[in-house]
Amino acid sequence: MPVSDPELATRAPENDAAEDQQDSPALSAIAAPTPPPDQPQLCDNCVSDRPTPAGSGAPKGELTTLGGIDVYITKPPSYPSTPARLLLLLTGGTGLKSTNNQLQADLFSAEGNYVVVMPDLFSGDPAPNSKVQEDDPDIQAGSEGGGFIGMFKLKAVETAKSFMIDMWLARHTEDKILPIIHKVLDAAKEEFADAVGNGGGVYAAGYCIGGRYVLLLGQQKEKKGEDVEQGEVKEGPWIKAGAVAHATLVSKQDFVGLKAPVSLVNVENDPMFPDEVRTASEEEMKKGGVEHEVQVYPGVPHGFAVVGQYEDENIKEAQKTAYGQMLKWLQDH
């Protein structure tokens, strides 16, 4: 049958699909982004770098190996003629090769007078990111709430990305990451014994996923001795002091047994580190007599404290303040 209505004759198929979506609960369920689950997930700022700030220059350290693990090492310009201290820097999901992470290490080294060792926590397998969305105009339209095709693609990308991140987290569990850290820590203590001695121990700073491992390194634990006569043997803490920014996948249990002084940079209303966990962790640290400080930053995204370009002046200022908080805490301990 011929189409007699000029308006109908010129309508694009996408318009019909959009209207069908509004009338069809099934299509709406497919196209609309799924609400975040109760179980915490890694956000984009955990797995994607911000643009590198203009004028930052190239990283000054070197990629090498330590204890058989790939690491980035950066040293103060005057080291070793001028004594320095040793800092272990533990990254978020963007990992070792991230320029922003390397620049962050350079900052601690130059401004804090640290030999900074940043290990590859993920064995050459950084977290999957969301750059695919930038290259597809349909997905861009879908992310802005328009276009059925774009929303359908966006949903597919989000589902695939969530699955990929879940699989990535399954590959990089505590029993995989902690041995990497201890191998690097043991080798660094030997390689930079002068810096460890000068600082009276090892310092640590961590962001996102790496933040949780700073807490674990600051714990004292008991384990069975090698023979019956030894009974329970205490081990740890492995660091002298730690600074943590927007830690991810943290629980109250991570603060049990904590002995090392710790500074926490937290984001207000952060689903990665919920307020109830933060409150419980503060109570646990007070109960354990742990020296600590907790600063909560409003109006900033998770991941804000890592080197990266933001247009919002409030975020820029908070970024500087958070870095200053972490550096001062480490310097004072």
Side-chain angles (χ1 to χ4, degrees):
M1 173 185 286
V3 178
S4 58
D5 189 333
E7 181 182 352
L8 291 176
T10 56
R11 287 166 67 94
E14 292 89 338
N15 293 334
D16 293 328
E19 287 188 0
D20 289 343
Q21 176 205 348
Q22 294 174 357
D23 297 333
S24 170
L27 284 175
S28 296
I30 293 173
T34 305
D38 293 335
Q39 179 67 26
Q41 302 281 314
L42 295 187
C43 67
D44 283 346
N45 288 329
C46 289
V47 300
S48 301
D49 274 331
R50 297 287 303 177
T52 300
S56 296
K60 297 179 174 59
E62 64 172 342
L63 290 168
T64 182
T65 59
L66 199 59
I69 305 297
D70 290 337
V71 295
Y72 177 80
I73 297 178
T74 183
K75 307 169 187 175
S78 59
Y79 178 82
S81 58
T82 301
R85 299 192 286 180
L86 182 66
L87 176 69
L88 188 67
L89 181 60
L90 305 179
T91 71
T94 53
L96 181 71
K97 300 288 181 68
S98 159
T99 298
N100 289 353
N101 289 340
Q102 293 176 3
L103 291 173
Q104 189 74 67
D106 290 349
L107 272 178
F108 277 112
S109 179
E111 298 182 5
N113 195 39
Y114 291 102
V115 174
V116 180
V117 176
M118 186 172 77
D120 180 4
L121 302 179
F122 314 117
S123 303
D125 178 34
N129 61 40
S130 56
K131 288 182 180 178
V132 64
Q133 294 187 26
E134 299 172 4
D135 303 325
D136 191 322
D138 286 335
I139 291 178
Q140 283 296 311
S143 67
E144 294 166 4
F148 171 70
I149 293 175
M151 293 180 72
F152 189 90
K153 285 187 178 181
L154 178 62
K155 174 63 178 176
V157 167
E158 288 177 344
T159 301
K161 179 187 167 190
S162 177
F163 176 77
M164 290 169 64
I165 290 176
D166 286 346
M167 294 296 292
W168 181 81
L169 286 171
R171 292 195 299 274
H172 301 291
T173 53
E174 182 180 327
D175 63 337
K176 300 286 180 60
I177 293 177
L178 263 182
I180 290 173
I181 294 173
H182 282 294
K183 283 181 183 179
V184 171
L185 197 53
D186 291 344
K189 286 179 179 178
E190 183 176 339
E191 181 75 16
F192 302 108
D194 59 327
V196 176
N198 184 56
V202 178
Y203 297 81
Y207 295 82
C208 298
I209 293 173
R212 176 173 182 258
Y213 288 93
V214 171
L215 299 175
L216 299 185
L217 292 175
Q219 292 176 338
Q220 185 177 76
K221 299 183 178 181
E222 293 186 353
K223 69 173 187 177
K224 290 183 179 180
E226 295 180 0
D227 55 58
V228 178
E229 294 180 358
Q230 280 186 301
E232 295 289 330
V233 177
K234 292 182 178 179
E235 59 178 7
W238 292 268
I239 58 173
K240 185 177 181 182
V244 175
H246 35 71
T248 300
L249 306 179
V250 173
S251 71
K252 176 187 173 182
Q253 194 63 30
D254 296 325
F255 292 85
V256 175
L258 185 65
K259 299 295 181 184
V262 65
S263 174
L264 299 181
V265 170
N266 285 82
V267 174
E268 187 177 49
N269 301 320
D270 185 0
M272 303 295 106
F273 195 150
D275 291 345
E276 57 269 24
V277 175
R278 174 173 55 80
T279 301
S281 68
E282 290 186 70
E283 292 174 356
E284 183 64 37
M285 288 188 287
K286 288 176 184 176
K287 184 174 74 174
V290 179
E291 185 184 359
H292 66 279
E293 70 172 0
V294 179
Q295 297 292 335
V296 179
Y297 290 75
V300 297
H302 182 93
F304 82 98
V306 184
V307 166
Q309 182 65 46
Y310 289 92
E311 299 303 321
D312 189 313
E313 291 299 326
N314 292 329
I315 299 177
K316 286 183 179 180
E317 190 59 34
Q319 194 178 53
K320 292 177 185 177
T321 302
Y323 168 69
Q325 173 190 331
M326 298 173 74
L327 181 60
K328 184 178 187 303
W329 183 264
L330 295 170
Q331 296 286 74
D332 290 348
H333 291 81

PDB file of all heavy atoms in Angstrom, residues 37-54:
ATOM      1  N   PRO A  37      24.595  -1.836  40.697  1.00  0.00           N
ATOM      2  CA  PRO A  37      24.233  -2.865  41.659  1.00  0.00           C
ATOM      3  C   PRO A  37      24.682  -2.486  43.052  1.00  0.00           C
ATOM      4  O   PRO A  37      25.470  -1.573  43.243  1.00  0.00           O
ATOM      5  CB  PRO A  37      24.997  -4.102  41.144  1.00  0.00           C
ATOM      6  CG  PRO A  37      26.166  -3.538  40.408  1.00  0.00           C
ATOM      7  CD  PRO A  37      25.674  -2.255  39.790  1.00  0.00           C
ATOM      8  N   ASP A  38      24.182  -3.228  44.051  1.00  0.00           N
ATOM      9  CA  ASP A  38      24.575  -2.954  45.427  1.00  0.00           C
ATOM     10  C   ASP A  38      26.047  -3.256  45.640  1.00  0.00           C
ATOM     11  O   ASP A  38      26.725  -2.613  46.424  1.00  0.00           O
ATOM     12  CB  ASP A  38      23.729  -3.800  46.389  1.00  0.00           C
ATOM     13  CG  ASP A  38      22.259  -3.378  46.366  1.00  0.00           C
ATOM     14  OD1 ASP A  38      21.998  -2.213  46.024  1.00  0.00           O
ATOM     15  OD2 ASP A  38      21.400  -4.216  46.679  1.00  0.00           O
ATOM     16  N   GLN A  39      26.552  -4.279  44.957  1.00  0.00           N
ATOM     17  CA  GLN A  39      27.960  -4.616  45.096  1.00  0.00           C
ATOM     18  C   GLN A  39      28.811  -3.540  44.435  1.00  0.00           C
ATOM     19  O   GLN A  39      28.602  -3.192  43.274  1.00  0.00           O
ATOM     20  CB  GLN A  39      28.238  -5.970  44.407  1.00  0.00           C
ATOM     21  CG  GLN A  39      29.689  -6.423  44.475  1.00  0.00           C
ATOM     22  CD  GLN A  39      30.127  -6.748  45.882  1.00  0.00           C
ATOM     23  OE1 GLN A  39      29.308  -7.091  46.714  1.00  0.00           O
ATOM     24  NE2 GLN A  39      31.402  -6.610  46.158  1.00  0.00           N
ATOM     25  N   PRO A  40      29.820  -2.963  45.154  1.00  0.00           N
ATOM     26  CA  PRO A  40      30.627  -1.892  44.583  1.00  0.00           C
ATOM     27  C   PRO A  40      31.327  -2.337  43.298  1.00  0.00           C
ATOM     28  O   PRO A  40      31.811  -3.454  43.196  1.00  0.00           O
ATOM     29  CB  PRO A  40      31.652  -1.600  45.695  1.00  0.00           C
ATOM     30  CG  PRO A  40      30.997  -2.072  46.946  1.00  0.00           C
ATOM     31  CD  PRO A  40      30.172  -3.247  46.542  1.00  0.00           C
ATOM     32  N   GLN A  41      31.338  -1.451  42.321  1.00  0.00           N
ATOM     33  CA  GLN A  41      32.013  -1.701  41.060  1.00  0.00           C
ATOM     34  C   GLN A  41      33.100  -0.650  40.889  1.00  0.00           C
ATOM     35  O   GLN A  41      33.064   0.403  41.501  1.00  0.00           O
ATOM     36  CB  GLN A  41      31.013  -1.591  39.904  1.00  0.00           C
ATOM     37  CG  GLN A  41      29.839  -2.549  40.007  1.00  0.00           C
ATOM     38  CD  GLN A  41      30.200  -3.946  39.583  1.00  0.00           C
ATOM     39  OE1 GLN A  41      30.841  -4.138  38.556  1.00  0.00           O
ATOM     40  NE2 GLN A  41      29.807  -4.927  40.363  1.00  0.00           N
ATOM     41  N   LEU A  42      34.088  -0.950  40.041  1.00  0.00           N
ATOM     42  CA  LEU A  42      35.096   0.056  39.730  1.00  0.00           C
ATOM     43  C   LEU A  42      34.483   1.093  38.809  1.00  0.00           C
ATOM     44  O   LEU A  42      33.812   0.758  37.843  1.00  0.00           O
ATOM     45  CB  LEU A  42      36.303  -0.593  39.046  1.00  0.00           C
ATOM     46  CG  LEU A  42      37.115  -1.587  39.875  1.00  0.00           C
ATOM     47  CD1 LEU A  42      38.362  -1.985  39.110  1.00  0.00           C
ATOM     48  CD2 LEU A  42      37.491  -1.014  41.229  1.00  0.00           C
ATOM     49  N   CYS A  43      34.712   2.369  39.114  1.00  0.00           N
ATOM     50  CA  CYS A  43      34.184   3.431  38.267  1.00  0.00           C
ATOM     51  C   CYS A  43      35.178   3.780  37.172  1.00  0.00           C
ATOM     52  O   CYS A  43      36.315   3.302  37.163  1.00  0.00           O
ATOM     53  CB  CYS A  43      33.871   4.668  39.120  1.00  0.00           C
ATOM     54  SG  CYS A  43      35.338   5.459  39.804  1.00  0.00           S
ATOM     55  N   ASP A  44      34.759   4.648  36.244  1.00  0.00           N
ATOM     56  CA  ASP A  44      35.626   5.027  35.132  1.00  0.00           C
ATOM     57  C   ASP A  44      36.949   5.622  35.603  1.00  0.00           C
ATOM     58  O   ASP A  44      37.995   5.418  34.982  1.00  0.00           O
ATOM     59  CB  ASP A  44      34.917   6.030  34.219  1.00  0.00           C
ATOM     60  CG  ASP A  44      33.890   5.361  33.316  1.00  0.00           C
ATOM     61  OD1 ASP A  44      33.926   4.119  33.220  1.00  0.00           O
ATOM     62  OD2 ASP A  44      33.067   6.064  32.726  1.00  0.00           O
ATOM     63  N   ASN A  45      36.905   6.378  36.709  1.00  0.00           N
ATOM     64  CA  ASN A  45      38.130   7.007  37.187  1.00  0.00           C
ATOM     65  C   ASN A  45      39.100   6.015  37.804  1.00  0.00           C
ATOM     66  O   ASN A  45      40.251   6.366  38.072  1.00  0.00           O
ATOM     67  CB  ASN A  45      37.795   8.110  38.203  1.00  0.00           C
ATOM     68  CG  ASN A  45      37.173   9.322  37.548  1.00  0.00           C
ATOM     69  OD1 ASN A  45      37.480   9.637  36.393  1.00  0.00           O
ATOM     70  ND2 ASN A  45      36.286  10.001  38.242  1.00  0.00           N
ATOM     71  N   CYS A  46      38.638   4.788  38.068  1.00  0.00           N
ATOM     72  CA  CYS A  46      39.542   3.735  38.542  1.00  0.00           C
ATOM     73  C   CYS A  46      40.287   3.077  37.381  1.00  0.00           C
ATOM     74  O   CYS A  46      41.348   2.503  37.569  1.00  0.00           O
ATOM     75  CB  CYS A  46      38.763   2.666  39.295  1.00  0.00           C
ATOM     76  SG  CYS A  46      38.116   3.142  40.896  1.00  0.00           S
ATOM     77  N   VAL A  47      39.676   3.107  36.203  1.00  0.00           N
ATOM     78  CA  VAL A  47      40.205   2.319  35.092  1.00  0.00           C
ATOM     79  C   VAL A  47      40.620   3.169  33.897  1.00  0.00           C
ATOM     80  O   VAL A  47      41.124   2.626  32.910  1.00  0.00           O
ATOM     81  CB  VAL A  47      39.171   1.260  34.642  1.00  0.00           C
ATOM     82  CG1 VAL A  47      38.851   0.320  35.787  1.00  0.00           C
ATOM     83  CG2 VAL A  47      37.893   1.907  34.127  1.00  0.00           C
ATOM     84  N   SER A  48      40.426   4.477  33.967  1.00  0.00           N
ATOM     85  CA  SER A  48      40.779   5.362  32.853  1.00  0.00           C
ATOM     86  C   SER A  48      41.524   6.580  33.376  1.00  0.00           C
ATOM     87  O   SER A  48      41.167   7.139  34.416  1.00  0.00           O
ATOM     88  CB  SER A  48      39.528   5.837  32.095  1.00  0.00           C
ATOM     89  OG  SER A  48      38.810   4.739  31.584  1.00  0.00           O
ATOM     90  N   ASP A  49      42.554   6.987  32.661  1.00  0.00           N
ATOM     91  CA  ASP A  49      43.301   8.184  33.031  1.00  0.00           C
ATOM     92  C   ASP A  49      42.595   9.444  32.555  1.00  0.00           C
ATOM     93  O   ASP A  49      41.993   9.466  31.480  1.00  0.00           O
ATOM     94  CB  ASP A  49      44.698   8.165  32.395  1.00  0.00           C
ATOM     95  CG  ASP A  49      45.709   7.414  33.242  1.00  0.00           C
ATOM     96  OD1 ASP A  49      45.538   7.389  34.478  1.00  0.00           O
ATOM     97  OD2 ASP A  49      46.659   6.844  32.674  1.00  0.00           O
ATOM     98  N   ARG A  50      42.692  10.501  33.338  1.00  0.00           N
ATOM     99  CA  ARG A  50      42.324  11.818  32.863  1.00  0.00           C
ATOM    100  C   ARG A  50      43.390  12.286  31.869  1.00  0.00           C
ATOM    101  O   ARG A  50      44.503  11.726  31.829  1.00  0.00           O
ATOM    102  CB  ARG A  50      42.272  12.811  34.039  1.00  0.00           C
ATOM    103  CG  ARG A  50      41.235  12.510  35.093  1.00  0.00           C
ATOM    104  CD  ARG A  50      39.848  12.799  34.630  1.00  0.00           C
ATOM    105  NE  ARG A  50      39.679  14.182  34.193  1.00  0.00           N
ATOM    106  CZ  ARG A  50      38.572  14.686  33.683  1.00  0.00           C
ATOM    107  NH1 ARG A  50      37.522  13.902  33.526  1.00  0.00           N
ATOM    108  NH2 ARG A  50      38.489  15.953  33.327  1.00  0.00           N
ATOM    109  N   PRO A  51      43.095  13.295  31.044  1.00  0.00           N
ATOM    110  CA  PRO A  51      44.147  13.860  30.197  1.00  0.00           C
ATOM    111  C   PRO A  51      45.316  14.335  31.054  1.00  0.00           C
ATOM    112  O   PRO A  51      45.120  14.843  32.163  1.00  0.00           O
ATOM    113  CB  PRO A  51      43.447  15.043  29.510  1.00  0.00           C
ATOM    114  CG  PRO A  51      41.995  14.699  29.549  1.00  0.00           C
ATOM    115  CD  PRO A  51      41.782  13.939  30.820  1.00  0.00           C
ATOM    116  N   THR A  52      46.502  14.148  30.562  1.00  0.00           N
ATOM    117  CA  THR A  52      47.687  14.608  31.293  1.00  0.00           C
ATOM    118  C   THR A  52      47.728  16.129  31.280  1.00  0.00           C
ATOM    119  O   THR A  52      47.533  16.745  30.224  1.00  0.00           O
ATOM    120  CB  THR A  52      48.964  14.041  30.655  1.00  0.00           C
ATOM    121  OG1 THR A  52      48.905  12.609  30.699  1.00  0.00           O
ATOM    122  CG2 THR A  52      50.210  14.525  31.381  1.00  0.00           C
ATOM    123  N   PRO A  53      47.962  16.766  32.423  1.00  0.00           N
ATOM    124  CA  PRO A  53      47.986  18.234  32.466  1.00  0.00           C
ATOM    125  C   PRO A  53      48.998  18.823  31.487  1.00  0.00           C
ATOM    126  O   PRO A  53      50.112  18.303  31.336  1.00  0.00           O
ATOM    127  CB  PRO A  53      48.382  18.537  33.922  1.00  0.00           C
ATOM    128  CG  PRO A  53      47.941  17.333  34.685  1.00  0.00           C
ATOM    129  CD  PRO A  53      48.152  16.179  33.758  1.00  0.00           C
ATOM    130  N   ALA A  54      48.594  19.881  30.827  1.00  0.00           N
ATOM    131  CA  ALA A  54      49.481  20.543  29.869  1.00  0.00           C
ATOM    132  C   ALA A  54      50.733  21.046  30.572  1.00  0.00           C
ATOM    133  O   ALA A  54      50.677  21.541  31.695  1.00  0.00           O
ATOM    134  CB  ALA A  54      48.744  21.711  29.210  1.00  0.00           C
TER     135      ALA A  54
END
